[in-house]
Amino acid sequence: MTDGKLYIDGRWTGGTGDGFASFDPATEARVWRGNEASTAQVGTAVAAARAAFPDWADRARADRTDAMKRYQAALKARAPAFAEAISRETGKALWETTAELGSMAGKVDLSIRAYDERTGERTSETAFGSATLRHRPHGVAAVLGPFNFPGHLPNGHIVPALLAGDTVVFKPSEETPHTGQLMAECLEEADLPAGVFNLVQGGRDVGAALLDQPIDALMFTGSGAAGAHFRKKFADDPHIILALELGGNNPLVVWDAADAVAGIVVQSAFVTTGQRCSCARRLIVPEGPAGDAILEAVNSLVDRLIFAPWDSTPEPYGGPLISQRAAEQALAALQQRIDAGARVIRASGPVDNLPAAFVRPAILDVTGIEVPDEEMFAPFLSVTRVPTFEAAIAAANATRYGLSAGLVSDDPKNWDHFVRRIRAGVVNFNRPTTGAAGDMPFGGLGASGNHRPSAYYAADYCAYPVASFEAGTVMNIEGEIRGLRA
């Protein structure tokens, strides 16, 4: 078990707030124990970031790049142990957390490229001298991290922010404080100036205290409900940049597809035990025998999936949800749909002889049933049967969310129509809805975001553009002024 610390102004210190802990949901063993940051400590962290900002922003771009390269080296050196730590804290399979560490290290090179391409500097000659485009950092960025990818997702905000010249105060999810502490240790090894990166730990009250401080940006990955709260909170503060990557009630349409459908559906709906914001929550299929065949194939493949502790042999496909409480909430939401009339195709419930955070995948037929337009963050899939492809697109778009969507079809004409009509920020063809890439944007519409996509486009919200029109010497421009008396 790890003793928890905060990292403020280049120093490790204990929190002076309430005590809390994180647990391995696969074994219920305690992983991390520490104390929350007090309101005063949160204020100290933001003040340290504010004081460090002018020097960090003014440093040569190469200095900040070199610092991120040192951070990358620390991630790579620690990768096996770090991946195991994330598995222990989240319950995710080791193959997943090993990939997460690879994405974290790879984010550095991708962010450097994105900074150059999207927020760099360029100058063009003019008749009077030159016109120059520059980008300047915003200031102090508050980063709130999620539990499902507790390293990769906040890392996707932190690295581009630091490259741009912003300073950071990071609060991990209260479910994954150990992962946040390990990230801070790697950033300490990068030899950043004191105050450039700060770590505070705790739950909702600590996050609220952070957002009550004089910050310049909020970078958040989490639920649509939390995102809606932040929009309201900062509605009268347009100077505070909001970068919100939120959830989705994501549709996957399967139409005119003969083979290999089940694997795409399963990987869309059940990977990471359904704990990805881009997971398919809604499967839309044709009425009649074609739809029946799709569901039969999916059900058969789900039978073969192994859900077990992360260090099990054979290697599991998935693990538990993040906590017993999360499992109870997910099962309650599932039962609400059943009570509303949904037909059970595949029932959920506990996994034999394992802690209560484990739940079985579920499939419900909700055709003709009015169910909440909400994300169930669990391995639960709702099926809707429709008569035509146009009806399938309409059903897919019948949500206030718009993060990811997918089409599985052997007919390219279907894809041409689908990609022009569907409203989502990530739209995949014959690939899982969870497919994404660090060198592409990642974000959604409606309740899924605020039109500030992350991944490669994170550079856009970490700095603002400055246009300058410059003459090397003071010029007499009276001749350009019209309407003067002779």
Side-chain angles (χ1 to χ4, degrees), residues 168 233 258 268 344 475:
V168 170
K233 176 178 176 60
S268 295
V344 178
M475 302 174 64

Side-chain angles (χ1 to χ4, degrees), residues 346-367:
R346 185 181 193 91
S348 184
V351 178
D352 294 342
N353 302 316
L354 290 175
F358 283 88
V359 296
R360 297 184 185 280
I363 304 174
L364 301 182
D365 189 329
V366 299
T367 305

